[in-house]
PDB file of all heavy atoms in Angstrom:
ATOM      1  N   SER A   4     -10.552   9.017  -1.461  1.00 95.00           N
ATOM      2  CA  SER A   4     -10.294   9.954  -2.459  1.00 95.00           C
ATOM      3  C   SER A   4      -8.856  10.451  -2.251  1.00 95.00           C
ATOM      4  O   SER A   4      -8.039  10.702  -3.178  1.00 95.00           O
ATOM      5  CB  SER A   4     -11.430  11.080  -2.438  1.00 95.00           C
ATOM      6  OG  SER A   4     -10.868  12.071  -3.326  1.00 95.00           O
ATOM      7  N   VAL A   5      -8.535  10.774  -0.883  1.00 95.00           N
ATOM      8  CA  VAL A   5      -7.260  11.347  -0.773  1.00 95.00           C
ATOM      9  C   VAL A   5      -6.168  10.391  -0.913  1.00 95.00           C
ATOM     10  O   VAL A   5      -5.155  10.684  -1.524  1.00 95.00           O
ATOM     11  CB  VAL A   5      -7.165  11.803   0.798  1.00 95.00           C
ATOM     12  CG1 VAL A   5      -5.717  12.273   1.165  1.00 95.00           C
ATOM     13  CG2 VAL A   5      -8.189  12.907   1.095  1.00 95.00           C
ATOM     14  N   LEU A   6      -6.365   9.132  -0.575  1.00 94.00           N
ATOM     15  CA  LEU A   6      -5.409   8.110  -0.773  1.00 94.00           C
ATOM     16  C   LEU A   6      -5.167   7.882  -2.212  1.00 94.00           C
ATOM     17  O   LEU A   6      -3.919   7.686  -2.636  1.00 94.00           O
ATOM     18  CB  LEU A   6      -5.762   6.760  -0.144  1.00 94.00           C
ATOM     19  CG  LEU A   6      -5.777   6.691   1.431  1.00 94.00           C
ATOM     20  CD1 LEU A   6      -6.413   5.370   1.824  1.00 94.00           C
ATOM     21  CD2 LEU A   6      -4.337   6.688   1.850  1.00 94.00           C
ATOM     22  N   LEU A   7      -6.210   7.875  -3.029  1.00 93.00           N
ATOM     23  CA  LEU A   7      -5.998   7.664  -4.498  1.00 93.00           C
ATOM     24  C   LEU A   7      -5.224   8.787  -5.237  1.00 93.00           C
ATOM     25  O   LEU A   7      -4.565   8.669  -5.996  1.00 93.00           O
ATOM     26  CB  LEU A   7      -7.368   7.380  -5.106  1.00 93.00           C
ATOM     27  CG  LEU A   7      -8.130   6.208  -4.751  1.00 93.00           C
ATOM     28  CD1 LEU A   7      -9.502   6.143  -5.391  1.00 93.00           C
ATOM     29  CD2 LEU A   7      -7.337   4.936  -5.093  1.00 93.00           C
ATOM     30  N   THR A   8      -5.608   9.979  -4.744  1.00 93.00           N
ATOM     31  CA  THR A   8      -4.846  11.087  -5.225  1.00 93.00           C
ATOM     32  C   THR A   8      -3.341  11.068  -4.897  1.00 93.00           C
ATOM     33  O   THR A   8      -2.579  11.327  -5.735  1.00 93.00           O
ATOM     34  CB  THR A   8      -5.488  12.492  -4.629  1.00 93.00           C
ATOM     35  OG1 THR A   8      -6.866  12.566  -4.977  1.00 93.00           O
ATOM     36  CG2 THR A   8      -4.703  13.669  -5.092  1.00 93.00           C
ATOM     37  N   VAL A   9      -3.044  10.671  -3.677  1.00 92.00           N
ATOM     38  CA  VAL A   9      -1.706  10.473  -3.305  1.00 92.00           C
ATOM     39  C   VAL A   9      -1.006   9.492  -4.027  1.00 92.00           C
ATOM     40  O   VAL A   9       0.144   9.638  -4.504  1.00 92.00           O
ATOM     41  CB  VAL A   9      -1.555  10.255  -1.835  1.00 92.00           C
ATOM     42  CG1 VAL A   9      -0.189   9.767  -1.361  1.00 92.00           C
ATOM     43  CG2 VAL A   9      -1.976  11.411  -0.902  1.00 92.00           C
ATOM     44  N   SER A  10      -1.672   8.293  -4.306  1.00 90.00           N
ATOM     45  CA  SER A  10      -1.165   7.154  -4.961  1.00 90.00           C
ATOM     46  C   SER A  10      -0.621   7.571  -6.420  1.00 90.00           C
ATOM     47  O   SER A  10       0.381   7.073  -6.968  1.00 90.00           O
ATOM     48  CB  SER A  10      -1.980   6.130  -5.186  1.00 90.00           C
ATOM     49  OG  SER A  10      -3.171   6.350  -6.022  1.00 90.00           O
ATOM     50  N   ASP A  11      -1.339   8.521  -7.092  1.00 86.00           N
ATOM     51  CA  ASP A  11      -0.868   8.966  -8.465  1.00 86.00           C
ATOM     52  C   ASP A  11       0.503   9.821  -8.367  1.00 86.00           C
ATOM     53  O   ASP A  11       1.046   9.959  -9.418  1.00 86.00           O
ATOM     54  CB  ASP A  11      -2.102   9.833  -9.111  1.00 86.00           C
ATOM     55  CG  ASP A  11      -3.041   8.861  -9.838  1.00 86.00           C
ATOM     56  OD1 ASP A  11      -2.726   7.729  -9.989  1.00 86.00           O
ATOM     57  OD2 ASP A  11      -4.097   9.300 -10.220  1.00 86.00           O
ATOM     58  N   PHE A  12       0.830  10.360  -7.233  1.00 88.00           N
ATOM     59  CA  PHE A  12       1.882  11.137  -7.134  1.00 88.00           C
ATOM     60  C   PHE A  12       3.284  10.386  -6.580  1.00 88.00           C
ATOM     61  O   PHE A  12       4.330  10.978  -6.475  1.00 88.00           O
ATOM     62  CB  PHE A  12       1.656  12.524  -6.409  1.00 88.00           C
ATOM     63  CG  PHE A  12       0.855  13.335  -7.053  1.00 88.00           C
ATOM     64  CD1 PHE A  12      -0.603  13.414  -6.822  1.00 88.00           C
ATOM     65  CD2 PHE A  12       1.342  14.393  -7.920  1.00 88.00           C
ATOM     66  CE1 PHE A  12      -1.431  14.324  -7.476  1.00 88.00           C
ATOM     67  CE2 PHE A  12       0.482  15.200  -8.521  1.00 88.00           C
ATOM     68  CZ  PHE A  12      -0.827  15.243  -8.234  1.00 88.00           C
ATOM     69  N   ILE A  13       2.934   9.171  -6.146  1.00 89.00           N
ATOM     70  CA  ILE A  13       4.171   8.344  -5.622  1.00 89.00           C
ATOM     71  C   ILE A  13       4.947   7.916  -6.751  1.00 89.00           C
ATOM     72  O   ILE A  13       4.510   7.378  -7.744  1.00 89.00           O
ATOM     73  CB  ILE A  13       3.479   7.148  -4.873  1.00 89.00           C
ATOM     74  CG1 ILE A  13       2.781   7.716  -3.622  1.00 89.00           C
ATOM     75  CG2 ILE A  13       4.739   6.308  -4.419  1.00 89.00           C
ATOM     76  CD1 ILE A  13       2.090   6.577  -2.854  1.00 89.00           C
ATOM     77  N   LYS A  14       6.249   8.213  -6.606  1.00 85.00           N
ATOM     78  CA  LYS A  14       7.203   7.697  -7.588  1.00 85.00           C
ATOM     79  C   LYS A  14       7.225   6.206  -7.679  1.00 85.00           C
ATOM     80  O   LYS A  14       7.212   5.412  -6.751  1.00 85.00           O
ATOM     81  CB  LYS A  14       8.582   8.294  -7.384  1.00 85.00           C
ATOM     82  CG  LYS A  14       8.751   9.685  -7.494  1.00 85.00           C
ATOM     83  CD  LYS A  14      10.201  10.203  -7.258  1.00 85.00           C
ATOM     84  CE  LYS A  14      10.338  11.692  -7.388  1.00 85.00           C
ATOM     85  NZ  LYS A  14      11.661  12.130  -7.129  1.00 85.00           N
ATOM     86  N   PRO A  15       7.255   5.619  -8.899  1.00 77.00           N
ATOM     87  CA  PRO A  15       7.184   4.175  -9.082  1.00 77.00           C
ATOM     88  C   PRO A  15       8.389   3.557  -8.375  1.00 77.00           C
ATOM     89  O   PRO A  15       9.541   3.964  -8.539  1.00 77.00           O
ATOM     90  CB  PRO A  15       7.175   3.882 -10.629  1.00 77.00           C
ATOM     91  CG  PRO A  15       7.679   5.244 -11.126  1.00 77.00           C
ATOM     92  CD  PRO A  15       7.290   6.273 -10.240  1.00 77.00           C
ATOM     93  N   GLY A  16       8.295   2.374  -7.678  1.00 90.00           N
ATOM     94  CA  GLY A  16       9.377   1.714  -7.135  1.00 90.00           C
ATOM     95  C   GLY A  16       9.660   0.547  -7.971  1.00 90.00           C
ATOM     96  O   GLY A  16       9.148   0.239  -9.028  1.00 90.00           O
ATOM     97  N   LYS A  17      10.609  -0.245  -7.406  1.00 90.00           N
ATOM     98  CA  LYS A  17      11.009  -1.550  -8.181  1.00 90.00           C
ATOM     99  C   LYS A  17      10.950  -2.795  -7.464  1.00 90.00           C
ATOM    100  O   LYS A  17      11.395  -3.902  -7.851  1.00 90.00           O
ATOM    101  CB  LYS A  17      12.474  -1.262  -8.657  1.00 90.00           C
ATOM    102  CG  LYS A  17      12.690  -0.024  -9.559  1.00 90.00           C
ATOM    103  CD  LYS A  17      14.242   0.008 -10.000  1.00 90.00           C
ATOM    104  CE  LYS A  17      14.351   1.250 -10.991  1.00 90.00           C
ATOM    105  NZ  LYS A  17      15.730   1.404 -11.482  1.00 90.00           N
ATOM    106  N   LYS A  18      10.306  -2.663  -6.191  1.00 93.00           N
ATOM    107  CA  LYS A  18      10.218  -3.860  -5.428  1.00 93.00           C
ATOM    108  C   LYS A  18       9.303  -4.871  -6.081  1.00 93.00           C
ATOM    109  O   LYS A  18       8.207  -4.539  -6.374  1.00 93.00           O
ATOM    110  CB  LYS A  18       9.738  -3.569  -3.949  1.00 93.00           C
ATOM    111  CG  LYS A  18      10.809  -2.858  -3.122  1.00 93.00           C
ATOM    112  CD  LYS A  18      10.398  -2.657  -1.701  1.00 93.00           C
ATOM    113  CE  LYS A  18      11.394  -1.904  -0.914  1.00 93.00           C
ATOM    114  NZ  LYS A  18      10.900  -1.612   0.468  1.00 93.00           N
ATOM    115  N   ALA A  19       9.694  -6.099  -6.023  1.00 90.00           N
ATOM    116  CA  ALA A  19       8.767  -7.288  -6.288  1.00 90.00           C
ATOM    117  C   ALA A  19       9.011  -8.416  -5.242  1.00 90.00           C
ATOM    118  O   ALA A  19       9.314  -8.144  -4.154  1.00 90.00           O
ATOM    119  CB  ALA A  19       9.069  -7.820  -7.738  1.00 90.00           C
ATOM    120  N   GLU A  20       8.846  -9.698  -5.553  1.00 89.00           N
ATOM    121  CA  GLU A  20       8.897 -10.803  -4.725  1.00 89.00           C
ATOM    122  C   GLU A  20      10.212 -10.701  -3.903  1.00 89.00           C
ATOM    123  O   GLU A  20      10.344 -10.914  -2.657  1.00 89.00           O
ATOM    124  CB  GLU A  20       8.635 -12.080  -5.254  1.00 89.00           C
ATOM    125  CG  GLU A  20       7.204 -12.281  -5.948  1.00 89.00           C
ATOM    126  CD  GLU A  20       7.241 -11.939  -7.335  1.00 89.00           C
ATOM    127  OE1 GLU A  20       8.047 -11.068  -7.794  1.00 89.00           O
ATOM    128  OE2 GLU A  20       6.425 -12.512  -8.124  1.00 89.00           O
ATOM    129  N   LYS A  21      11.230 -10.554  -4.720  1.00 89.00           N
ATOM    130  CA  LYS A  21      12.533 -10.675  -4.146  1.00 89.00           C
ATOM    131  C   LYS A  21      12.985  -9.606  -3.227  1.00 89.00           C
ATOM    132  O   LYS A  21      13.712  -9.818  -2.249  1.00 89.00           O
ATOM    133  CB  LYS A  21      13.657 -10.902  -5.232  1.00 89.00           C
ATOM    134  CG  LYS A  21      13.561 -12.246  -6.027  1.00 89.00           C
ATOM    135  CD  LYS A  21      14.654 -12.317  -7.046  1.00 89.00           C
ATOM    136  CE  LYS A  21      14.545 -13.701  -7.780  1.00 89.00           C
ATOM    137  NZ  LYS A  21      15.680 -13.835  -8.857  1.00 89.00           N
ATOM    138  N   GLU A  22      12.528  -8.304  -3.667  1.00 92.00           N
ATOM    139  CA  GLU A  22      13.022  -7.135  -2.863  1.00 92.00           C
ATOM    140  C   GLU A  22      12.196  -6.762  -1.727  1.00 92.00           C
ATOM    141  O   GLU A  22      12.692  -6.079  -0.817  1.00 92.00           O
ATOM    142  CB  GLU A  22      13.121  -5.986  -3.903  1.00 92.00           C
ATOM    143  CG  GLU A  22      14.126  -6.183  -5.066  1.00 92.00           C
ATOM    144  CD  GLU A  22      13.556  -7.095  -6.257  1.00 92.00           C
ATOM    145  OE1 GLU A  22      12.329  -7.204  -6.142  1.00 92.00           O
ATOM    146  OE2 GLU A  22      14.347  -7.562  -7.054  1.00 92.00           O
ATOM    147  N   ALA A  23      10.848  -7.198  -1.737  1.00 93.00           N
ATOM    148  CA  ALA A  23       9.967  -6.772  -0.739  1.00 93.00           C
ATOM    149  C   ALA A  23      10.349  -7.303   0.681  1.00 93.00           C
ATOM    150  O   ALA A  23      10.882  -8.528   0.655  1.00 93.00           O
ATOM    151  CB  ALA A  23       8.568  -7.100  -0.958  1.00 93.00           C
ATOM    152  N   THR A  24      10.301  -6.490   1.722  1.00 94.00           N
ATOM    153  CA  THR A  24      10.607  -7.003   3.046  1.00 94.00           C
ATOM    154  C   THR A  24       9.415  -7.469   3.767  1.00 94.00           C
ATOM    155  O   THR A  24       8.259  -7.083   3.505  1.00 94.00           O
ATOM    156  CB  THR A  24      11.376  -5.903   3.828  1.00 94.00           C
ATOM    157  OG1 THR A  24      10.448  -4.837   4.079  1.00 94.00           O
ATOM    158  CG2 THR A  24      12.474  -5.389   3.042  1.00 94.00           C
ATOM    159  N   PHE A  25       9.552  -8.216   4.937  1.00 95.00           N
ATOM    160  CA  PHE A  25       8.580  -8.591   5.626  1.00 95.00           C
ATOM    161  C   PHE A  25       7.884  -7.429   6.537  1.00 95.00           C
ATOM    162  O   PHE A  25       6.765  -7.459   6.852  1.00 95.00           O
ATOM    163  CB  PHE A  25       8.994  -9.715   6.719  1.00 95.00           C
ATOM    164  CG  PHE A  25       9.326 -10.997   5.993  1.00 95.00           C
ATOM    165  CD1 PHE A  25      10.774 -11.528   6.064  1.00 95.00           C
ATOM    166  CD2 PHE A  25       8.591 -11.659   5.213  1.00 95.00           C
ATOM    167  CE1 PHE A  25      11.156 -12.504   5.316  1.00 95.00           C
ATOM    168  CE2 PHE A  25       8.793 -12.696   4.480  1.00 95.00           C
ATOM    169  CZ  PHE A  25      10.230 -13.256   4.538  1.00 95.00           C
ATOM    170  N   LYS A  26       8.740  -6.347   6.787  1.00 96.00           N
ATOM    171  CA  LYS A  26       8.251  -5.169   7.346  1.00 96.00           C
ATOM    172  C   LYS A  26       7.228  -4.528   6.440  1.00 96.00           C
ATOM    173  O   LYS A  26       6.144  -4.045   6.855  1.00 96.00           O
ATOM    174  CB  LYS A  26       9.370  -4.151   7.563  1.00 96.00           C
ATOM    175  CG  LYS A  26       8.829  -2.890   8.304  1.00 96.00           C
ATOM    176  CD  LYS A  26      10.049  -1.880   8.412  1.00 96.00           C
ATOM    177  CE  LYS A  26       9.478  -0.585   9.122  1.00 96.00           C
ATOM    178  NZ  LYS A  26      10.675   0.385   9.307  1.00 96.00           N
ATOM    179  N   ASP A  27       7.575  -4.509   5.089  1.00 96.00           N
ATOM    180  CA  ASP A  27       6.666  -4.055   4.056  1.00 96.00           C
ATOM    181  C   ASP A  27       5.343  -4.799   4.152  1.00 96.00           C
ATOM    182  O   ASP A  27       4.187  -4.163   4.167  1.00 96.00           O
ATOM    183  CB  ASP A  27       7.226  -4.179   2.587  1.00 96.00           C
ATOM    184  CG  ASP A  27       8.414  -3.371   2.441  1.00 96.00           C
ATOM    185  OD1 ASP A  27       8.543  -2.360   3.114  1.00 96.00           O
ATOM    186  OD2 ASP A  27       9.228  -3.729   1.551  1.00 96.00           O
ATOM    187  N   ALA A  28       5.444  -6.150   4.163  1.00 96.00           N
ATOM    188  CA  ALA A  28       4.205  -6.900   4.217  1.00 96.00           C
ATOM    189  C   ALA A  28       3.437  -6.688   5.342  1.00 96.00           C
ATOM    190  O   ALA A  28       2.131  -6.645   5.397  1.00 96.00           O
ATOM    191  CB  ALA A  28       4.593  -8.480   4.284  1.00 96.00           C
ATOM    192  N   GLY A  29       3.967  -6.609   6.574  1.00 97.00           N
ATOM    193  CA  GLY A  29       3.252  -6.237   7.761  1.00 97.00           C
ATOM    194  C   GLY A  29       2.471  -4.990   7.716  1.00 97.00           C
ATOM    195  O   GLY A  29       1.420  -4.910   8.168  1.00 97.00           O
ATOM    196  N   LEU A  30       3.144  -3.837   7.282  1.00 97.00           N
ATOM    197  CA  LEU A  30       2.462  -2.629   7.051  1.00 97.00           C
ATOM    198  C   LEU A  30       1.366  -2.551   6.162  1.00 97.00           C
ATOM    199  O   LEU A  30       0.269  -1.999   6.389  1.00 97.00           O
ATOM    200  CB  LEU A  30       3.478  -1.538   6.845  1.00 97.00           C
ATOM    201  CG  LEU A  30       4.602  -1.084   7.828  1.00 97.00           C
ATOM    202  CD1 LEU A  30       5.652  -0.300   7.248  1.00 97.00           C
ATOM    203  CD2 LEU A  30       3.960  -0.522   9.022  1.00 97.00           C
ATOM    204  N   ILE A  31       1.514  -3.308   5.116  1.00 97.00           N
ATOM    205  CA  ILE A  31       0.479  -3.427   4.028  1.00 97.00           C
ATOM    206  C   ILE A  31      -0.710  -4.247   4.614  1.00 97.00           C
ATOM    207  O   ILE A  31      -1.872  -3.962   4.293  1.00 97.00           O
ATOM    208  CB  ILE A  31       0.994  -4.030   2.750  1.00 97.00           C
ATOM    209  CG1 ILE A  31       2.035  -3.090   2.106  1.00 97.00           C
ATOM    210  CG2 ILE A  31      -0.126  -4.317   1.742  1.00 97.00           C
ATOM    211  CD1 ILE A  31       2.871  -3.825   0.990  1.00 97.00           C
ATOM    212  N   GLY A  32      -0.441  -5.298   5.412  1.00 96.00           N
ATOM    213  CA  GLY A  32      -1.468  -6.053   6.088  1.00 96.00           C
ATOM    214  C   GLY A  32      -2.222  -5.184   7.059  1.00 96.00           C
ATOM    215  O   GLY A  32      -3.495  -5.336   7.189  1.00 96.00           O
ATOM    216  N   LEU A  33      -1.510  -4.260   7.772  1.00 97.00           N
ATOM    217  CA  LEU A  33      -2.203  -3.292   8.652  1.00 97.00           C
ATOM    218  C   LEU A  33      -3.105  -2.374   7.943  1.00 97.00           C
ATOM    219  O   LEU A  33      -4.257  -2.175   8.353  1.00 97.00           O
ATOM    220  CB  LEU A  33      -1.035  -2.576   9.432  1.00 97.00           C
ATOM    221  CG  LEU A  33      -1.583  -1.439  10.400  1.00 97.00           C
ATOM    222  CD1 LEU A  33      -2.256  -2.147  11.610  1.00 97.00           C
ATOM    223  CD2 LEU A  33      -0.345  -0.567  10.973  1.00 97.00           C
ATOM    224  N   ALA A  34      -2.685  -1.892   6.678  1.00 96.00           N
ATOM    225  CA  ALA A  34      -3.593  -1.087   6.020  1.00 96.00           C
ATOM    226  C   ALA A  34      -4.831  -1.796   5.535  1.00 96.00           C
ATOM    227  O   ALA A  34      -5.868  -1.309   5.422  1.00 96.00           O
ATOM    228  CB  ALA A  34      -2.753  -0.567   4.633  1.00 96.00           C
ATOM    229  N   GLN A  35      -4.572  -3.116   5.117  1.00 94.00           N
ATOM    230  CA  GLN A  35      -5.764  -4.010   4.733  1.00 94.00           C
ATOM    231  C   GLN A  35      -6.725  -4.100   5.825  1.00 94.00           C
ATOM    232  O   GLN A  35      -7.956  -4.090   5.743  1.00 94.00           O
ATOM    233  CB  GLN A  35      -5.320  -5.207   4.291  1.00 94.00           C
ATOM    234  CG  GLN A  35      -6.435  -6.134   3.714  1.00 94.00           C
ATOM    235  CD  GLN A  35      -5.996  -7.433   3.157  1.00 94.00           C
ATOM    236  OE1 GLN A  35      -6.281  -7.638   1.877  1.00 94.00           O
ATOM    237  NE2 GLN A  35      -5.310  -8.339   3.908  1.00 94.00           N
ATOM    238  N   GLY A  36      -6.305  -4.390   7.126  1.00 94.00           N
ATOM    239  CA  GLY A  36      -7.162  -4.375   8.270  1.00 94.00           C
ATOM    240  C   GLY A  36      -7.861  -3.184   8.522  1.00 94.00           C
ATOM    241  O   GLY A  36      -9.233  -3.130   8.785  1.00 94.00           O
ATOM    242  N   ILE A  37      -7.282  -2.009   8.369  1.00 94.00           N
ATOM    243  CA  ILE A  37      -8.001  -0.698   8.694  1.00 94.00           C
ATOM    244  C   ILE A  37      -8.965  -0.554   7.503  1.00 94.00           C
ATOM    245  O   ILE A  37     -10.144   0.047   7.821  1.00 94.00           O
ATOM    246  CB  ILE A  37      -6.971   0.432   8.567  1.00 94.00           C
ATOM    247  CG1 ILE A  37      -6.127   0.267   9.826  1.00 94.00           C
ATOM    248  CG2 ILE A  37      -7.699   1.811   8.668  1.00 94.00           C
ATOM    249  CD1 ILE A  37      -4.907   1.256   9.798  1.00 94.00           C
ATOM    250  N   ALA A  38      -8.616  -0.952   6.253  1.00 92.00           N
ATOM    251  CA  ALA A  38      -9.676  -0.765   5.250  1.00 92.00           C
ATOM    252  C   ALA A  38     -10.949  -1.700   5.321  1.00 92.00           C
ATOM    253  O   ALA A  38     -11.782  -1.544   4.419  1.00 92.00           O
ATOM    254  CB  ALA A  38      -8.961  -1.156   3.872  1.00 92.00           C
ATOM    255  N   ILE A  39     -11.139  -2.381   6.421  1.00 90.00           N
ATOM    256  CA  ILE A  39     -12.359  -3.083   6.587  1.00 90.00           C
ATOM    257  C   ILE A  39     -13.433  -2.053   6.886  1.00 90.00           C
ATOM    258  O   ILE A  39     -14.706  -2.351   6.848  1.00 90.00           O
ATOM    259  CB  ILE A  39     -12.307  -4.071   7.940  1.00 90.00           C
ATOM    260  CG1 ILE A  39     -11.205  -5.218   7.460  1.00 90.00           C
ATOM    261  CG2 ILE A  39     -13.636  -4.790   8.151  1.00 90.00           C
ATOM    262  CD1 ILE A  39     -10.850  -6.140   8.609  1.00 90.00           C
ATOM    263  N   LEU A  40     -13.050  -0.850   7.340  1.00 91.00           N
ATOM    264  CA  LEU A  40     -14.035   0.192   7.626  1.00 91.00           C
ATOM    265  C   LEU A  40     -14.899   0.524   6.355  1.00 91.00           C
ATOM    266  O   LEU A  40     -14.361   0.485   5.259  1.00 91.00           O
ATOM    267  CB  LEU A  40     -13.300   1.486   8.031  1.00 91.00           C
ATOM    268  CG  LEU A  40     -12.867   1.600   9.515  1.00 91.00           C
ATOM    269  CD1 LEU A  40     -11.850   2.848   9.544  1.00 91.00           C
ATOM    270  CD2 LEU A  40     -14.118   1.911  10.335  1.00 91.00           C
ATOM    271  N   PRO A  41     -16.131   0.618   6.475  1.00 89.00           N
ATOM    272  CA  PRO A  41     -17.071   0.840   5.290  1.00 89.00           C
ATOM    273  C   PRO A  41     -16.727   2.063   4.631  1.00 89.00           C
ATOM    274  O   PRO A  41     -16.650   3.269   5.305  1.00 89.00           O
ATOM    275  CB  PRO A  41     -18.413   0.811   5.804  1.00 89.00           C
ATOM    276  CG  PRO A  41     -18.214   1.091   7.234  1.00 89.00           C
ATOM    277  CD  PRO A  41     -16.978   0.422   7.678  1.00 89.00           C
ATOM    278  N   GLY A  42     -16.397   2.055   3.256  1.00 90.00           N
ATOM    279  CA  GLY A  42     -16.091   3.384   2.501  1.00 90.00           C
ATOM    280  C   GLY A  42     -14.688   3.500   2.253  1.00 90.00           C
ATOM    281  O   GLY A  42     -14.271   4.231   1.441  1.00 90.00           O
ATOM    282  N   LEU A  43     -13.829   2.807   3.063  1.00 93.00           N
ATOM    283  CA  LEU A  43     -12.424   2.807   2.817  1.00 93.00           C
ATOM    284  C   LEU A  43     -12.029   1.677   1.861  1.00 93.00           C
ATOM    285  O   LEU A  43     -12.108   0.506   2.235  1.00 93.00           O
ATOM    286  CB  LEU A  43     -11.635   2.631   4.207  1.00 93.00           C
ATOM    287  CG  LEU A  43     -10.238   3.188   4.230  1.00 93.00           C
ATOM    288  CD1 LEU A  43     -10.032   4.471   3.695  1.00 93.00           C
ATOM    289  CD2 LEU A  43      -9.596   3.026   5.546  1.00 93.00           C
ATOM    290  N   SER A  44     -11.718   2.079   0.572  1.00 92.00           N
ATOM    291  CA  SER A  44     -11.483   0.964  -0.332  1.00 92.00           C
ATOM    292  C   SER A  44     -10.317   0.075   0.018  1.00 92.00           C
ATOM    293  O   SER A  44      -9.269   0.546   0.216  1.00 92.00           O
ATOM    294  CB  SER A  44     -11.244   1.656  -1.707  1.00 92.00           C
ATOM    295  OG  SER A  44     -10.693   0.639  -2.703  1.00 92.00           O
ATOM    296  N   ARG A  45     -10.658  -1.238   0.069  1.00 91.00           N
ATOM    297  CA  ARG A  45      -9.484  -2.107   0.294  1.00 91.00           C
ATOM    298  C   ARG A  45      -8.258  -2.099  -0.748  1.00 91.00           C
ATOM    299  O   ARG A  45      -7.193  -2.032  -0.376  1.00 91.00           O
ATOM    300  CB  ARG A  45      -9.994  -3.644   0.582  1.00 91.00           C
ATOM    301  CG  ARG A  45      -9.123  -4.648   1.104  1.00 91.00           C
ATOM    302  CD  ARG A  45      -9.330  -6.020   0.532  1.00 91.00           C
ATOM    303  NE  ARG A  45      -9.027  -6.108  -0.765  1.00 91.00           N
ATOM    304  CZ  ARG A  45      -7.785  -6.321  -1.395  1.00 91.00           C
ATOM    305  NH1 ARG A  45      -6.709  -6.329  -0.501  1.00 91.00           N
ATOM    306  NH2 ARG A  45      -7.680  -6.461  -2.663  1.00 91.00           N
ATOM    307  N   SER A  46      -8.829  -2.270  -1.904  1.00 91.00           N
ATOM    308  CA  SER A  46      -7.835  -2.249  -3.116  1.00 91.00           C
ATOM    309  C   SER A  46      -7.102  -0.916  -3.047  1.00 91.00           C
ATOM    310  O   SER A  46      -5.960  -0.874  -3.366  1.00 91.00           O
ATOM    311  CB  SER A  46      -8.557  -2.555  -4.332  1.00 91.00           C
ATOM    312  OG  SER A  46      -9.530  -1.624  -4.758  1.00 91.00           O
TER     313      SER A  46
END
């Protein structure tokens, strides 16, 4: 619930395939790993 509330206040970015960095990808993968916890929405 907290994460979803925060997401609505994040200013929209412009990164897509070309602009995204491998650091971004690693951190997002880390978030996905933590989201295996039951109740923490993966999406």
Side-chain angles (χ1 to χ4, degrees):
S4 174
V5 173
L6 287 173
L7 295 177
T8 301
V9 169
S10 71
D11 275 348
F12 289 94
I13 297 176
K14 292 183 179 179
K17 297 181 179 180
K18 288 183 181 178
E20 297 95 328
K21 292 182 179 180
E22 298 82 14
T24 67
F25 296 118
K26 180 181 178 180
D27 295 333
L30 292 172
I31 294 166
L33 182 65
Q35 179 172 243
I37 297 171
I39 298 175
L40 278 166
L43 197 56
S44 168
R45 192 208 65 81
S46 61

